[in-house]
Amino acid sequence: YPLIDLFQRLLRFKEDDSPERKLQKLETALDQYDLPRTETIPLFTPLLALPLSEQYPPLNLSPQRQKQKLLKTMLVILLKLTEIRPVVIFIEDLHWGDPSTLEILTTLVDQVSNARVFVLFTFRPNFNPSWPARSYLTHLSLTRLVRRQAEALIESAAAGKKLPPELLEQIIAKTDGVPIFLEELTKMVLEQDLLRERVDRYELVGPLPALAIPATLHDSLMARLDRLAAVREVAQLGATLGRNFSYRLLQAVASMDEPTLQSKLTQLVEAELLYQQGLPPDAAYSFKHALIQETAYRSLLRAKRQQVHQRIARVLVEQFPEFEQIEPEVIAHHYTAAGQNEAAVRFWYKAGQRAVVQSANREAINHFTQALNLLEFLPPSAERHQQELHLRIALGAPLLMTKGYVASEVETNYARARQLCRQLDQTPQLASVLFGLWVFYLVKGQFQTALELGEQLAELADQTQDAALWLEAHRMQGMNYFNLGRLDLARTHLEEAVAIYDPHQHGPQVLFDAGTDRGVACLSYLAITLWLLGYPDQALKRSQEAIALAAQLLHQECALTAV
């Protein structure tokens, strides 16, 4: 998300820009960085939810390969920026970073040693960056403030004026050197009627009440919000939208006229609870600290909070279609918090599908799992079982890619999917389920079970007379019999698979994309099988065919994706 936000700002996208206008801006930017449009724009169109066109058709790449090309191109652009002028990259709260962002930042750290760039990350102590130590990396641990620093921060928050000593002692004692607490507690005290302002200091109006200073940061923030009761509703709406939100979105959700809304936002900015960037209607706001947002959010009663989340989700769907294209998980989050589980499941599924397309497998697992968890709250029905089946099948590939082929989660997921196929009599979906289970048992070394799964897929291919299924069934059985040492049967099935294979129809997208071309795999296994059977000349011929096919496929990919 930080990188998406960065590129939207680099491209100067505006909320009222049409998709066509955004595409024009992307074209202009790529020309500036000397990047070829036809090979680069298809990388960014799904990321930025831009329209596809005949001029820029999708690249014929696996999701993982497309993701690698995208990250490489993003890094090229960032480094080219440093050649034009010095660049500062600041990312806050790295502990909340999504896996794909952390992946490109790791690569960035490795590449910036000689670039004119200053990169600053902030994160909590329990987060461990994946990059190794570098001579140009400096790690600063921010500890609690000592008394001298605490006094300086309090005086700064009081606009350079000193507080009464007894009040100063209580603030320092209760805040324990936590900067945000020091600052917020000082402001809270200044907003009360406890002090009289002089030229260079504040004086107590009377004796300091025992409970005048809350003992916790949450209490302090709640007290400030209570005294800002006239604008608390806007703070709560903003907090429900998130740490950052746009004026346009808040306006669409708030049930108040524009002058009133702007007036209340101004008060929140003046109270330094919000920061503002730009002017309405193009303004963007962010809470000064995550704890301020959390406090404002939790001050909403649960029933009211659910209503607000539902209103936000509806507004996003009806008035901000780009969210459904770029961040469907945001809509899913709001429907989940609203208790609208059926709609939430639908959008978590969309979010998972989008993550799979981008080869963001960890994000995909999270989204699909969220949907599966919410399904349990829906009443049992054939429709619910159908939704679960779709989710289980979609979850299979990301699990294999991230957890490993023999992870218990893989077996559990595909076993449940096969059970659902039987319940629903869903023959088409059964093919990919059998394939997923076969991969699990093959790699685990349970070859007899893998052989039985191959037989089931062959029966399914016979029922449907689908050439792609026959190809998979013969490939599976060829590998199964090879591992069982029954080489004659392995040869028969692998030769059948090679005879069916068509590189234009049976690439790695069929059934399950394991990054392997079916033709190359079958020819390779067939070459080894022939060698073991005592046919070295035939084995050499098949091996050469496999190498030639792999080179041809690689050449086609390079021609499409060279940057």
Side-chain angles (χ1 to χ4, degrees):
Y1 290 125
L3 274 299
I4 292 175
D5 177 67
L6 170 63
F7 276 87
Q8 287 177 332
R9 285 188 284 111
L10 283 176
L11 297 168
R12 302 185 185 278
F13 281 1
K14 295 182 179 179
E15 290 190 5
D16 55 353
D17 280 348
S18 66
E20 292 74 20
R21 176 60 180 151
K22 290 180 179 180
L23 183 59
Q24 291 174 359
K25 290 182 176 181
L26 176 60
E27 290 173 336
T28 303
L30 294 180
D31 292 343
Q32 177 186 352
Y33 299 120
D34 297 322
L35 292 169
R37 292 183 180 184
T38 53
E39 291 86 6
T40 310
I41 285 179
L43 296 172
F44 283 92
T45 48
L47 188 76
L48 302 173
L50 299 178
L52 296 174
S53 66
E54 294 181 359
Q55 187 179 2
Y56 305 114
L59 301 176
N60 185 25
L61 297 174
S62 67
Q64 179 63 26
R65 180 63 176 153
Q66 177 140 338
K67 176 184 176 182
Q68 291 171 351
K69 297 291 292 183
L70 173 63
L71 296 186
K72 175 184 175 182
T73 305
M74 293 172 83
L75 186 61
V76 166
I77 292 174
L78 289 176
L79 293 177
K80 282 182 176 291
L81 274 175
T82 68
E83 297 173 4
I84 300 172
R85 59 182 179 273
V87 172
V88 175
I89 299 175
F90 173 39
I91 297 183
E92 192 175 9
D93 296 325
L94 198 62
H95 49 272
W96 287 328
D98 56 272
S100 297
T101 295
L102 297 178
E103 182 178 341
I104 190 173
L105 292 180
T106 299
T107 307
L108 176 65
V109 168
D110 288 335
Q111 299 290 325
V112 297
S113 59
N114 296 318
R116 296 191 301 168
V117 59
F118 175 69
V119 184
L120 178 61
F121 303 135
T122 67
F123 49 84
R124 292 177 179 173
N126 58 354
F127 175 78
N128 294 313
S130 59
W131 47 79
R134 295 281 190 272
S135 60
Y136 50 86
L137 287 179
T138 302
H139 185 97
L140 298 175
S141 296
L142 302 182
T143 57
R144 297 175 186 270
L145 301 183
V146 299
R147 182 182 180 89
R148 173 179 53 80
Q149 295 168 328
E151 290 180 355
L153 182 58
I154 292 171
E155 187 171 330
S156 174
K161 298 184 178 182
K162 296 185 178 299
L163 298 184
E166 58 267 49
L167 182 58
L168 182 67
E169 289 297 327
Q170 283 205 38
I171 293 176
I172 291 176
K174 289 182 180 292
T175 54
D176 196 24
V178 178
I180 180 68
F181 198 1
L182 280 161
E183 194 172 27
E184 290 303 319
L185 196 52
T186 302
K187 290 177 180 177
M188 187 210 75
V189 169
L190 294 175
E191 291 170 358
Q192 296 184 22
D193 297 327
L194 299 173
L195 302 171
R196 181 185 301 111
E197 187 175 2
R198 297 300 188 187
V199 176
D200 60 343
R201 69 188 186 281
Y202 284 95
E203 296 176 348
L204 284 170
V205 175
L208 182 63
L211 299 178
I213 303 178
T216 67
L217 177 56
H218 177 267
D219 292 340
S220 174
L221 293 171
M222 281 298 299
R224 289 198 69 199
L225 285 172
D226 287 341
R227 284 191 304 279
L228 295 169
V231 298
R232 184 170 54 190
E233 180 187 358
V234 173
Q236 291 170 332
L237 280 176
T240 310
L241 288 169
R243 175 83 182 272
N244 307 287
F245 56 90
S246 69
Y247 175 82
R248 293 180 188 274
L249 180 53
L250 181 66
Q251 182 187 21
V253 173
S255 54
M256 61 185 69
D257 60 78
E258 196 165 350
T260 302
L261 177 61
Q262 292 188 18
S263 172
K264 292 185 176 184
L265 282 169
T266 299
Q267 292 180 59
L268 288 169
V269 171
E270 290 175 349
E272 293 191 36
L273 294 175
L274 291 179
Y275 291 141
Q276 178 179 340
Q277 184 177 18
L279 298 174
D282 298 319
Y285 297 88
S286 61
F287 282 90
K288 178 181 178 180
H289 196 280
L291 290 173
I292 298 175
Q293 181 221 344
E294 182 181 347
T295 301
Y297 178 72
R298 296 195 179 281
S299 68
L300 274 169
L301 296 176
R302 182 180 179 185
K304 177 66 173 177
R305 193 187 305 165
Q306 287 186 321
Q307 293 174 7
V308 174
H309 277 294
Q310 185 172 355
R311 191 194 321 164
I312 292 171
R314 187 174 61 250
V315 166
L316 289 174
V317 171
E318 295 174 356
Q319 301 182 35
F320 295 84
E322 65 273 13
F323 270 88
E324 187 170 348
Q325 297 297 321
I326 298 179
E327 301 177 66
E329 55 270 41
V330 172
I331 302 174
H333 159 73
H334 287 295
Y335 273 128
T336 301
Q340 301 293 309
N341 295 328
E342 188 173 348
V345 167
R346 188 168 66 253
F347 279 96
W348 282 124
Y349 180 57
K350 286 185 177 181
Q353 286 181 310
R354 186 172 188 274
V356 167
V357 169
Q358 296 178 333
S359 197
N361 291 309
R362 290 185 176 85
E363 292 95 323
I365 290 172
N366 175 69
H367 301 333
F368 290 137
T369 302
Q370 290 270 21
L372 287 167
N373 291 338
L374 291 175
L375 269 182
E376 297 181 5
F377 295 99
L378 300 180
S381 65
E383 182 181 358
R384 192 186 86 169
H385 290 324
Q386 186 71 59
Q387 285 180 299
E388 183 182 356
L389 176 58
H390 287 312
L391 285 164
R392 294 283 179 190
I393 293 173
L395 178 61
L399 280 177
L400 283 164
M401 292 295 186
T402 56
K403 301 291 185 179
Y405 287 6
V406 296
S408 59
E409 297 96 324
V410 172
E411 182 183 23
T412 300
N413 181 68
Y414 277 119
R416 173 58 179 163
R418 180 163 60 168
Q419 180 184 1
L420 289 167
C421 283
R422 289 169 176 168
Q423 289 180 6
L424 298 168
D425 193 23
Q426 291 292 323
T427 301
Q429 285 88 342
L430 181 60
S432 57
V433 173
L434 292 174
F435 186 86
L437 280 172
W438 172 74
V439 169
F440 172 82
Y441 287 111
L442 180 77
V443 178
K444 197 172 183 180
Q446 297 184 11
F447 301 131
Q448 190 59 44
T449 303
L451 183 66
E452 294 169 3
L453 290 166
E455 291 171 353
Q456 292 178 39
L457 189 62
E459 292 174 5
L460 189 60
D462 190 48
Q463 293 174 20
T464 60
Q465 290 301 303
D466 187 321
L469 292 187
W470 271 122
L471 170 60
E472 289 298 342
H474 284 305
R475 180 168 80 103
M476 289 164 63
Q477 293 301 71
M479 294 173 68
N480 288 333
Y481 283 122
F482 177 89
N483 287 310
L484 289 167
R486 302 170 68 176
L487 300 180
D488 286 328
L489 286 172
R491 175 185 180 181
T492 299
H493 282 287
L494 290 169
E495 286 179 340
E496 288 282 357
V498 170
I500 296 172
Y501 171 77
D502 181 340
H504 302 292
Q505 299 181 30
H506 305 137
Q509 299 296 331
V510 177
L511 290 182
F512 168 67
D513 180 11
T516 303
D517 180 81
R518 273 63 181 159
V520 174
C522 290
L523 286 167
S524 300
Y525 264 91
L526 182 56
I528 300 172
T529 302
L530 289 167
W531 174 268
L532 294 174
L533 284 170
Y535 302 103
D537 293 340
Q538 294 183 48
L540 178 60
K541 179 176 179 296
R542 290 301 193 179
S543 183
Q544 290 171 337
E545 290 175 4
I547 293 172
L549 177 59
Q552 176 188 347
L553 295 170
L554 179 62
H555 175 72
Q556 291 174 354
E557 179 176 312
C558 291
L560 285 168
T561 64
V563 175

